[in-house]
Amino acid sequence: MKKINRIICSLLLASACSFVAAQENQSYFLHTIEKGQSLYSIASMYGISQSDIIKLNPGSDEKIYVGRALRIPRGNANVQKETFHTIAPGETLYRLTTKYNVSAKAICDANPGLSAENFRIGQVIRIPSSSEASDSTSDSQTTTPVVTNNNIPGPVESRCREMHRVKKKETVFSISREYGLSEADLIAANPELKGDNKIKKGDFLCIPYPTAQVVQPTKPQTIPTDSELFSENKKTTKRFNTIKAALILPLLDVSKGESDRMVEYYEGFLMAVDSLKRTGTSIDLYTYNSGPESSSLNSILNKSEMKSMDIIFGPLYQDHIDPLADFAKKNNIRLVIPFTSKDNTVFRNPAVYQINTPQSYLYSEVYDHFVRQFPNANVIFIEASQGTKDKAEFIKGLKDELRNRAIPMKSLKEDASVEALKAALRSDKENIFIPTSGSNLTLIKVLPQLTLLVRDQPESRIHLFGYPEWQTYTKDHLETFFELDTYFYSSFYTNNLLPAAINFSKNYRRWYGKEMDERYPKFGMLGFDTGYFFLKGLSRYGSDFEQNMPGMSLTPIQTGFKFQRVNNWGGFINKKVFFVRFTKNYELIKLDFD
């Protein structure tokens, strides 16, 4: 008897565990981590906090791994709220439309990055709320919901192929013969004709489909494929005869430094517009002063012309991004954010293009390029003075990457002697010295000893590797950079000796009677590059611009472009990174890995 009780208890416990597991599975979905994603960016995608993810994934606050799956908690099950769904084996777009009771168009509109080609297992897609799905459906075709036997609303198919207005002297017999129906069919569709009731002039009668057409379809119903559904819901290509573009920047009523940068950006942008107009591109440009960060953008966004814009460039300030991004999304306008890299709007807004790469994506690209450039490296980190932590995240990630690839590394203090530096070298490898700070003060401290080392060990393969801000200090250390065979990474760079840079600087002086400010990036060049890239792309490809971006054969003066959509429902980030090399032969080379 005790044994039976134990068996029953075990079965009950197993049932309880299964129930808990089932409940748990309903409380989260799975997200597969992709290259460049951080806990912050993933949380931003789903509108939750990082702590929400950590609760379901202990240890994820310390380290996450590309290719691993994270449990993402679901929000409160409310039909008015969006849902996220991880595509499972065997699922199709059609099956998802029946599961969530939304149209294929609504799902496609909510996931502009989704296509028949990338609809695959493990992809997370956004299922729109019922209100969004209704809006999406009303844009194309209106259907009336009906509750079927499965309690799943579906479209009503009218039983009337048309309505007939009764004319003088017409009878049930004559009308039924006119439409090839039997009198019984016509009366069945219009029950009010039963008995002694007679039709009157002006009455409307339902003309039903022929009985054979309803009862015996000529073709069996087939389930549409993913390709068919995506093709059916593809938006019609729109061409722009005249591109309407807006610039929203703090040009006035702000500090002189900020105003000068924005004016220079605007001046470079105007040069791009002029270049395109000379090639036949028609552009209407609207420029607005956003004022300081405390100012509201409402007065600008309420202007009648704003809703008809094709593209908007700006803003500068963080507090202006959300209202402008919401406006752009609501009105289907592309928004190019040229400056900040720290805003997370791009992860949930398909209208946004973020020029300045978010840190985790930037570092991921640099690590990839580093191991490709130095497959046989011996990395020596030069630890900057205590309190200098500006590159802590970069160094931590690079060390993790080197460990994963079994690349040897060691660390030395910034005041290490030449003998200590020499002891860290390996004759069978390329020796890469990397300071853990990008400051000029750190460079000033480490360059003399490294120069002595290179002169003492001319046969050793030695390089110095560093950071984008080194462009600012190049004039101070140019000879040493060449002697140390120096590299630095950057998403923006121009060689002032190249013809494109020379011509642009010359034209800028001619247009404005001044030089661009000596800062990096140069805002005049940034304005030209962003304006030319997007306006040229829209003029060439129209609304198919996004599909054709990878094939645009433009060579920017300073800013590289390689856009990638962050997820199926979000916007685009720029993942372009260069390595700049100062060779011992006094050559300056920009290494493009794409």
Side-chain angles (χ1 to χ4, degrees), residues 316-492:
L316 173 64
Y317 299 122
Q318 192 78 25
D319 285 354
H320 289 168
I321 290 176
D322 278 350
L324 188 51
D326 288 344
F327 177 86
K329 181 180 179 181
K330 181 179 180 181
N331 294 285
N332 195 28
I333 303 170
R334 293 165 179 84
L335 173 63
V336 180
I337 302 177
F339 310 112
T340 184
S341 65
K342 297 179 180 179
D343 186 76
N344 63 0
T345 308
V346 68
F347 296 112
R348 290 176 61 83
N349 189 326
V352 171
Y353 293 77
Q354 191 161 305
I355 302 295
N356 208 345
T357 316
Q359 182 174 285
S360 61
Y361 288 89
L362 175 67
Y363 288 172
S364 179
E365 291 294 304
V366 174
Y367 302 153
D368 273 2
H369 297 342
F370 184 92
V371 296
R372 286 166 62 185
Q373 183 66 25
F374 306 113
N376 186 37
N378 172 46
V379 179
I380 303 115
F381 292 101
I382 302 178
E383 301 289 344
S385 301
Q386 193 173 14
T388 307
K389 303 291 184 183
D390 56 309
K391 299 300 177 183
E393 284 299 314
F394 174 82
I395 296 298
K396 180 179 180 296
L398 180 56
K399 286 181 176 179
D400 288 340
E401 186 73 21
L402 297 177
R403 283 191 205 95
N404 292 339
R405 296 176 180 267
I407 295 176
M409 57 180 162
K410 52 181 67 71
S411 295
L412 297 173
K413 298 292 185 182
E414 70 177 17
D415 57 357
S417 65
V418 174
E419 289 302 315
L421 296 174
K422 188 188 304 182
L425 299 177
R426 287 187 52 169
S427 59
D428 60 331
K429 294 184 177 293
E430 288 190 87
N431 300 280
I432 320 295
F433 287 91
I434 306 178
T436 60
S437 169
S439 71
N440 193 33
L441 180 61
T442 299
L443 270 179
I444 292 170
K445 289 180 179 179
V446 303
L447 289 182
Q449 296 294 79
L450 288 175
T451 304
L452 291 175
L453 174 68
V454 168
R455 293 173 182 174
D456 187 59
Q457 300 287 312
E459 74 286 351
S460 297
R461 291 172 293 168
I462 296 173
H463 307 283
L464 176 64
F465 186 88
Y467 308 99
E469 49 266 46
W470 285 8
Q471 294 178 73
T472 309
Y473 321 134
T474 296
K475 286 185 177 179
D476 299 332
H477 309 296
L478 184 60
E479 288 294 324
T480 308
F481 279 176
F482 282 123
E483 190 169 1
L484 296 178
D485 205 343
T486 301
Y487 292 76
F488 64 77
Y489 72 85
S490 181
S491 54
F492 51 87

Side-chain angles (χ1 to χ4, degrees), residues 20 22 49 79 152 232 301 332 340 368 409 433 534 550 581:
V20 171
S49 68
V79 293
I152 300 175
E232 180 182 326
L301 300 182
N332 195 28
T340 184
D368 273 2
M409 57 180 162
F433 287 91
F534 284 96
R581 182 184 181 186

Side-chain angles (χ1 to χ4, degrees), residues 288-301:
Y288 304 97
N289 172 43
S290 68
E293 190 164 11
S294 57
S295 299
S296 170
L297 294 184
N298 288 341
S299 61
I300 297 173
L301 300 182

Side-chain angles (χ1 to χ4, degrees), residues 170-185:
E170 282 188 321
T171 64
V172 171
F173 176 80
S174 66
I175 294 171
S176 63
R177 290 297 177 270
E178 180 181 342
Y179 290 100
L181 301 169
S182 68
E183 290 180 75
D185 286 341

